[in-house]
Structures are given as C-alpha cells and as structure tokens.
C-alpha cells in the first residue's frame, strides 16, 4: 500500500480500507494519507478498522474493573460568585475548587466545582451519584428537581432564584453520562506498507474515569510522543506538487515512518497499560458512590494511602518506599510506567516489612512463652 484511502461521508464518519460508500454517500470526498491518526474517542472507528487489517489478536481492548466505573454525573451551571451559604455571606472564589456533599438525603451525592481562571460567565458544578437507584435521576421537572436539591443540599442555595428556572429545568431533563471502566488498546500503531501507517491517541487508545485527572494530560502526552518520534526519524509529509514534477505525491511521507511508528507504538502501549492499572488504585472512592462493602473498602484505601505516605516520609525512595499513586501522578517528571513500578516496589517492600515485623514479634513471643514455662516448672 502506498497510502490509506479514506472516504469522508456527510455525517462525518470516516471509512478506510477501501470500503465502498455507495450511492447513499452523495457529496462524499476521498482523501489519500500516509499516516492516519485515530483520535476519535472511546468508540473509535479507526481502532475497529485497524483491528480488521492487523494480525489476529492485535488492537484488542483490555478492560479493567474499577470502583468508580459506572458512577453517573451531570453538570449544573452556576452563576458567578455562587453563594456557598444559605445567607449568601460566603461566596465561591473562582481559583478554588469545592466539593459539596449532600447532607439531607440518602443515598449520598456530591457536587464538585473545579478551579477556573474566571467565573465571569459562571462555572459548572458536576453532580456525582452511584450508578443505579439514585433519586436525582427520577426528578424530571424543574419543580421536582428544586425540591430534591433543597432536601439533599440544605446548606447551599440551589433554588430557581439562584440558579435560574431555565437551568434547573435543563438540569432535570439531562440524562448526563457515566464513567467507563479503565480500558486501553493492546497496540498503539500499525504499519501496513512502505511509508504507510496509523496510530491511536487519546480516548481511542486509553479511556478511564477522571479519578486521577489524567485525561487531558495523557492525550497531550500521546501527541507530544508522536511528534517526537516523527522528528527523531526525520519524517515529513510534503504537500503535493504539480502533475509531472518529481516531488512526492499527495498523501506520501519521507523519512523512516515505520521506525517512528514502531517507537511510538511501543512507548504508548506500555504507558497506556500502566495508566489504566494506576486508575484502578489511584483514587476511586472520591464520589461517595455505593458499592458492595463500600465503607470497608473506602476505609482500607485511606489506610493504605497514609501508610505509604508515612513510609515515604520516614524511609523514602532510598529504601524503596514511594507515596500513593495519586500524589505521584502530579509529578511531570514521572512516566506512568515509572509510577506503576514505584507502586509495585512499595507494595513488595510493605509485605516484606510486615513479614519481618511478624517474624520478629513471633520470635519474641516464643521466647516469652518459653521463659514463662521455665518459671512455672521451677516453681
């Protein structure tokens, strides 16, 4: 193959691999490209097309269980300087993030406001609930939603006077969305001929709940990595020249495209797999969601977090102890695979430490028991 054949149909869907669009796609246009970048989301059609032309077993999606998967959400648009108290004396500051937990109803819900540079046009509060059975999804009218919010959040003003009747009505009608399970594609790149290939990036390559706030960051890393790999291999995509000239044809590439894509594919596949594993353990219990033994699992997560933090503070990386992954992902100098290796190293060393402490305690206890036995015999 010398290039991909891509048909752009009016509704914006791309077909590749020589599929015929038929007469129903009137007005469609066909493009030739040496490199296709599939950044078309979690339900990527590019990924599906690559799986059809790749060797068996390639471009499969690996899905991982996660406590935050399935959490439902929808956004409520709040006015600028939103009051954080019922008397209006405390106002939200745009550069500060807020998390408001429901107080007057069960099951729990949580409103989260991320920091913004300016709230001149208002800001969005995202409501998080469990996946099923939450009453907020049963409120379909403005009046019903206003009544529910007054019961669930009596400590803040979420009435029609503050938020607006139109916004409350929209919020009540919205079906919102839900978090996916952490998932990644087994392959990030494919070369199908001399100087012809395709890559995946963003949610097409890796998708997950926003627990670690790495959605945008990981997508930008994909783009940065692809650019670096192309530059390192001297890849360029010259514009088409006039017919009959000796310049490269439209849709062609110069340089070692195959080498660049092999490097990109190896790196981003590794990082994507590490990232989805980190999301599993990072911070999945922050949404007040219901789950089997949820209270116990949330408590165990908190204990694990503080144990790792204390061991990191007391002993540090020199002795193989690192903080919990939620803190590590905030470092721009660490790759996801580095963080996962640090987390696994810490887990191993904690188990070794517990084993050593347990063995020492057992030895001391056995000596105490033996001493008490001798005393008893002597008496």
């Amino acid at each position: 193959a010398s290039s991909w054949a891509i048909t752009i149909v009016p509704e914006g869907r791309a077909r590749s691999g020589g599929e015929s669009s038929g007469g129903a796609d009137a007005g469609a246009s066909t493009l030739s490209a040496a490199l296709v970048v599939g950044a078309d989301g979690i339900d990527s059609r590019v990924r599906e097309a690559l799986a059809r032309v790749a060797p068996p077993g390639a471009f499969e999606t690996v899905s991982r269980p996660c406590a935050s998967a399935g959490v439902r959400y929808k956004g409520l648009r709040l006015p600028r300087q939103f009051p954080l108290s019922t008397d209006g004396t405390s106002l939200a500051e745009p550069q500060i993030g807020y998390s408001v937990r429901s107080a007057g109803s069960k099951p729990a819900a949580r409103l989260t406001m991320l920091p913004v540079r300016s709230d001149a046009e208002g800001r969005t509060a995202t409501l998080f609930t469990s996946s099923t059975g939450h009453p907020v999804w049963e409120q379909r009218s403005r009046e019903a939603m206003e009544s529910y919010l007054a019961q669930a959040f009596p400590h803040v003003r979420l009435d029609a006077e503050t938020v607006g009747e139109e916004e409350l009505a929209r919020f009540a009608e919205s079906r919102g969305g839900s978090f996916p399970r952490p998932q990644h594609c087994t392959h990030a790149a494919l070369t199908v001929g001399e100087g012809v290939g395709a890559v995946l990036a963003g949610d097409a390559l890796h998708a997950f709940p926003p627990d670690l706030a790495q959605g945008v960051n990981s997508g930008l890393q994909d783009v940065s990595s692809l650019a670096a790999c192309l530059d390192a291999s001297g890849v360029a995509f010259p514009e088409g020249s006039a017919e009959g000239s000796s310049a490269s044809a439209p849709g062609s590439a110069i340089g070692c495209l195959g080498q660049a894509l092999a490097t990109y594919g190896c790196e981003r596949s590794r990082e994507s797999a590490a990232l989805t594993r980190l999301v599993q353990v990072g911070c999945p219990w922050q949404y007040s969601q219901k789950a089997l033994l949820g209270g116990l699992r949330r408590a165990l997560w908190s204990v694990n977090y503080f144990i790792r933090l204390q061991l990191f503070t007391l002993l540090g990386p020199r002795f193989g102890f690192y903080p919990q992954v939620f803190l590590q992902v905030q470092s721009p100098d660490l790759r996801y695979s580095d963080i996962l290796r640090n987390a696994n190293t810490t887990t191993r060393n904690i188990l070794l430490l517990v084993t050593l402490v347990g063995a020492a305690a057992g030895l001391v206890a056995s000596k105490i028991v033996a001493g008490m036995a001798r005393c008893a015999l002597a008496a």
Side-chain angles (χ1 to χ4, degrees), residues 238-311:
E239 296 182 1
S241 58
E243 184 178 354
S245 72
S246 60
S248 298
S252 64
I254 59 175
C256 299
L257 181 61
Q259 176 181 333
L261 298 192
T263 303
Y264 173 85
C266 180
E267 175 188 337
R268 299 317 299 167
S269 296
R270 179 186 67 244
E271 296 303 312
S272 297
L275 175 55
T276 55
R277 173 61 184 135
L278 293 175
V279 172
Q280 283 187 288
V281 299
C283 194
W285 293 103
Q286 59 186 287
Y287 307 104
S288 303
Q289 71 269 35
K290 292 193 303 181
L292 180 64
L293 301 177
L296 176 61
R297 294 162 69 185
R298 188 176 288 108
L300 290 176
W301 182 91
S302 299
V303 170
N304 176 66
Y305 178 93
F306 286 107
I307 287 177
R308 290 173 184 262
L309 182 60
Q310 291 303 315
L311 289 174

Side-chain angles (χ1 to χ4, degrees), residues 5-17 19-21 24-31 36 40 43-46 48-49 52:
I6 306 172
T7 300
I8 308 298
V9 297
E11 59 267 30
R13 293 183 175 180
R15 297 181 179 179
S16 65
E19 295 183 17
S20 174
S21 58
D25 292 338
S29 58
T30 301
L31 303 177
V36 171
D40 51 339
D43 297 318
S44 172
R45 289 172 61 87
V46 174
E48 294 176 2
R52 290 196 296 268

Side-chain angles (χ1 to χ4, degrees), residues 151-190:
Q151 296 175 13
F153 299 94
H155 41 309
V156 292
R157 294 177 56 184
L158 295 170
D159 51 26
E161 180 182 355
T162 304
V163 179
E165 293 186 0
E166 183 177 345
E167 175 58 18
L168 273 180
R170 184 206 63 78
F171 184 68
E173 295 172 0
S174 171
R175 293 294 85 198
S178 62
F179 295 158
R181 293 176 62 157
Q183 61 183 58
H184 65 275
C185 187
T186 56
H187 293 71
L190 175 69

Side-chain angles (χ1 to χ4, degrees), residues 74 135-141 144-145 148 171-173 175:
K74 60 178 176 177
V136 69
W137 303 103
E138 301 171 2
Q139 319 304 320
R140 303 305 299 271
S141 67
M145 181 59 73
Y148 165 77
F171 184 68
E173 295 172 0
R175 293 294 85 198

Side-chain angles (χ1 to χ4, degrees), residues 62-83:
V62 177
S63 178
R64 304 181 189 271
C66 182
S68 58
V71 167
R72 299 185 67 181
Y73 64 90
K74 60 178 176 177
L76 177 65
R77 193 68 180 172
L78 301 178
R80 66 183 302 269
Q81 293 187 322
F82 173 73

Side-chain angles (χ1 to χ4, degrees), residues 188-201:
L190 175 69
T191 301
V192 296
E194 184 65 29
V196 180
V199 299
L200 297 177

Side-chain angles (χ1 to χ4, degrees), residues 93-98 113-118 123:
E93 299 182 26
Q95 291 82 17
I96 299 178
Y98 299 92
M113 291 176 280
L114 297 177
V116 293
R117 179 170 297 181
S118 171
R123 64 195 295 185

Side-chain angles (χ1 to χ4, degrees), residues 79-94:
R80 66 183 302 269
Q81 293 187 322
F82 173 73
L84 295 174
S85 58
T86 54
D87 58 8
T89 57
S90 177
L91 302 178
E93 299 182 26

